[in-house]
Structure formats: structure tokens, C-alpha cells
Amino acid sequence: MKSFPILPIWLMLIISGILIFVIIRKNKEKTWINKSTILELFMVLLLFIINLRIMSPSGKAQVVANNLDIIFVIDKSISMIANDYQTKPRLDGVKEICTHIVDTFEGAKFSIITFDNSSSIVTPLTKDSIMTREAIDIIQVKAEWMSYGSTLNAPIENMLTVLKSSKEKEDRTRILFYISDGEITRENEQVTSFEAMKEYLDNGAVLGFGTKEGATMYIGEDKSLAKDYYGGYMYDTANGQKAISKIDEKNLQKIANDMNVDYLHIENKKDMEQKVKDIKKLTTSNFENTSKSSYEDTYFYLIIPLLLLLLYHFIEYKGAYK
């Protein structure tokens, strides 16, 4: 049995508490144990249980699977909170695009790699799209003074690890999205070669976020993100002005050329349409059994008695509300 609440449990507890208070207040002049009170409290209990949306196993599930291994390589350096993705932080745009890709290619395997001054494999290749979406959603930038400058080269080793793992499997098509604003803040750092990835990739793209004009980095009240902080914004100590982060498309284009994939400047989901169509042409799908059980709703079984109780209560006690 599993529960997937319709409303958050905390919210339903508040609603139930209000209903119970009203019921008790309405019946305060009557004997506490009476048919009306018991009936109304039982209906509140039914509502609470219905909201839990309890689901029961219905046997093994058959799911759609495809031949794609999709790897997200996501820049989470502090410049990714610059507010020039539709006036929102770049990282919000990254999450929107990555989630769109996961939704579009349901049944693929996904892996997430993040980087700033270092890199980590957040999730290995997995068919668990729910876990993938959750992992994307919780990606956050690292505090400035912990970053020691960002570098675009940090994820190379982890990219190769995941790609080689994918190649060991038969009939897998490897797609990689390298996602960044292209900005390097580590002193004397330059983009190294990404050509080692080329032999493993069937398609993919380097996705550039940000604008040439650049944008400020608003961090709100979270002072842990930056030591040079004032009024919610990061500041440049060299000139005493708000720090501006700008996209560096030259770096991003070089990475794309090295890997022999397209470079795309992303301003909204429409910029991904052609790339999605190209990848769909490489996709083959099939049905396969999963070791996980599928589940079916049970809450509707409780709706019938609830409706009958409401009808009975209306007929039996309608005089009480005159």
C-alpha cells in the first residue's frame, strides 16, 4: 500500500481541525454522544482518509522503455543565479529545460552530473524519472567562498565515466547535454579539450544560458552564498558595483565543437524543439516488465459511503439548519 495525498497532509489536518471545531461548537448544547455529532465526525474521518489517496498493488507493471541514455551535465556555479532567463535565475531555466527533456523522453535512462570548481555524479544512469526530476529540482549553487573559482573542465572525468558505462550496454544511444553560461572565474583557467567525448556520443548539445549584456546575481537574504553581499545582491569588490555575470559563448562553442554536437543558446523551451525532433528520430521504444508493482487508486470506494452519509444527513437533519 502507498499513499499519494491529494492535498498536503498538514493542510488536510488544518481543514479537518476546523471542521471538527465547527461540529463541536454547533452541538455544544446537545449531549456530546448523539447521532448527529457521530455522523458528522465520521464524515470528516472519511474525507481525511480519501485525501490520503491510498493505493494498492495491482501486480507487476509494464512500462515503455527506449534506447536512450541521456546525460545532463549542469553548471551550478554561483553565476547560474544571474537573473537573465526571462528575468529569472539561469538555474531556474536549466531546471525547466531538463524537466521538459525528462518528460519528453519518458522511458529513457537519465544521469545527472553537476559541477562548479569540482564535479560529482548526482545520479548514475537510471530509468527512475521521478528520482531524476527530484534530483534536478534540488540542485543549488555553492557558496561563493567555497567555490574557489568555477571551471568548465571539472566534469570531464565524470562525463567519461558515465559515457563508458553506457557504451558497455548493447544498443544504447547516448545523448549528452552540457549546460552552462560558459563563464570561468578561476584565475588563468582556460577550456581544455572535450574531444574524448566525441567517440561515445550519438547526439546532444551544449546549452548556453545567460545574455551578452549579463545580469546581477540576487541572493536575497541568504548571506551564506556570498561574502561580498549587500542589499540582497552580490558585489564586485574591485569596483564596488553590483557584480554582473555574462554568458561566454566562445567557451561554449569550443566545447560543442570538441564533442561534435550543436551549440544552442536557450531563452525558452522553443529553442529545444528542433533538437528534440532530431533525438526522437534516434529513439526506438518497447514495452518491458518492471520489478516494481503498479498501483491503483482505492479512494473512490470511500466516496460512495460518504455521499450516502451526506444524503442521509441532509434528509434526517435538514430541520436543524432552519
Side-chain angles (χ1 to χ4, degrees):
M1 305 287 281
K2 287 191 176 183
S3 175
F4 298 90
I6 300 168
L7 295 176
I9 293 177
W10 64 266
L11 178 58
M12 195 59 196
L13 282 170
I14 293 173
I15 294 171
S16 299
I18 293 171
L19 290 173
I20 291 171
F21 174 78
V22 171
I23 291 168
I24 293 174
R25 186 177 178 84
K26 180 173 67 71
N27 292 283
K28 65 180 181 178
E29 296 180 358
K30 300 179 183 179
T31 305
W32 169 245
I33 303 177
N34 63 77
K35 187 162 62 174
S36 173
T37 303
I38 293 173
L39 183 64
E40 291 170 354
L41 290 175
F42 187 64
M43 285 191 287
V44 173
L45 177 63
L46 282 176
L47 276 173
F48 186 82
I49 297 173
I50 288 170
N51 180 73
L52 290 176
R53 197 185 172 199
I54 296 171
M55 304 182 79
S56 62
S58 60
K60 299 301 180 184
Q62 196 175 53
V63 298
V64 176
N66 61 49
N67 60 317
L68 300 182
D69 284 351
I70 298 178
I71 303 161
F72 298 110
V73 184
I74 301 174
D75 184 349
K76 66 182 186 75
S77 59
I78 201 162
S79 63
M80 293 300 287
I81 61 171
N83 293 286
D84 54 5
Y85 179 81
Q86 303 171 15
T87 70
K88 297 183 294 186
R90 294 168 187 169
L91 193 56
D92 285 7
V94 173
K95 293 177 182 182
E96 179 184 306
I97 295 300
C98 290
T99 301
H100 172 61
I101 293 170
V102 173
D103 292 342
T104 302
F105 296 102
E106 189 80 39
K109 289 183 178 181
F110 300 95
S111 176
I112 300 171
I113 299 170
T114 60
F115 69 95
D116 37 48
N117 65 295
S118 60
S119 174
S120 62
I121 299 174
V122 178
T123 63
L125 286 166
T126 175
K127 290 181 181 177
D128 192 334
S129 58
I130 295 176
M131 181 181 73
T132 301
R133 291 186 190 93
E134 291 176 347
I136 290 169
D137 188 56
I138 63 175
I139 293 174
Q140 299 294 333
V141 300
K142 184 187 285 188
E144 181 193 26
W145 58 77
M146 295 172 61
S147 297
Y148 307 108
S150 60
T151 169
L152 302 180
N153 304 320
I156 289 177
E157 184 176 341
N158 283 331
M159 290 164 69
L160 284 170
T161 297
V162 177
L163 286 169
K164 288 176 181 178
S165 172
S166 173
K167 194 170 184 179
E168 291 174 359
K169 312 294 191 300
E170 292 183 4
D171 303 321
R172 301 303 296 175
T173 299
R174 286 165 292 282
I175 313 295
L176 185 142
F177 294 103
Y178 184 100
I179 308 169
S180 175
D181 55 23
E183 190 174 50
I184 297 175
T185 58
R186 181 179 287 181
E187 192 174 354
N188 299 321
E189 181 85 18
Q190 292 184 335
V191 178
T192 188
S193 175
F194 280 69
E195 289 187 357
M197 258 59 70
K198 184 162 46 176
E199 66 175 289
Y200 299 99
L201 293 177
D202 298 293
N203 207 317
V206 173
L207 308 182
F209 283 77
T211 59
K212 292 179 180 179
E213 298 78 16
T216 55
M217 286 157 279
Y218 182 74
I219 60 177
E221 297 303 317
D222 191 354
K223 298 181 181 180
S224 67
L225 286 177
K227 57 187 176 182
D228 303 317
Y229 164 94
Y230 181 74
Y233 289 89
M234 279 188 61
Y235 269 70
D236 186 339
T237 54
N239 57 27
Q241 302 295 316
K242 291 178 183 177
I244 301 289
S245 172
K246 301 178 181 181
I247 190 171
D248 191 328
E249 295 189 287
K250 182 179 178 181
N251 286 338
L252 297 174
Q253 187 65 64
K254 179 187 183 309
I255 294 171
N257 292 342
D258 284 354
M259 296 194 297
N260 195 30
V261 297
D262 296 323
Y263 166 67
L264 302 174
H265 181 227
I266 303 298
E267 295 180 348
N268 54 58
K269 287 194 289 189
K270 290 183 180 179
D271 297 320
M272 288 295 300
E273 285 182 359
Q274 187 57 52
K275 177 55 61 177
V276 167
K277 290 177 182 178
D278 292 343
I279 294 172
K280 283 182 176 179
K281 294 175 183 178
L282 302 173
T283 308
T284 58
S285 300
N286 62 281
F287 287 94
E288 63 178 34
N289 292 320
T290 177
S291 59
K292 298 180 180 180
S293 296
S294 59
Y295 289 82
E296 63 179 17
D297 283 311
T298 61
Y299 71 90
F300 53 83
Y301 293 117
L302 298 176
I303 291 178
I304 295 173
L306 178 62
L307 291 174
L308 291 175
L309 287 173
L310 283 170
L311 180 62
Y312 172 78
H313 190 58
F314 176 77
I315 295 172
E316 186 73 10
Y317 297 101
K318 61 180 180 179
Y321 299 102
K322 292 181 179 179

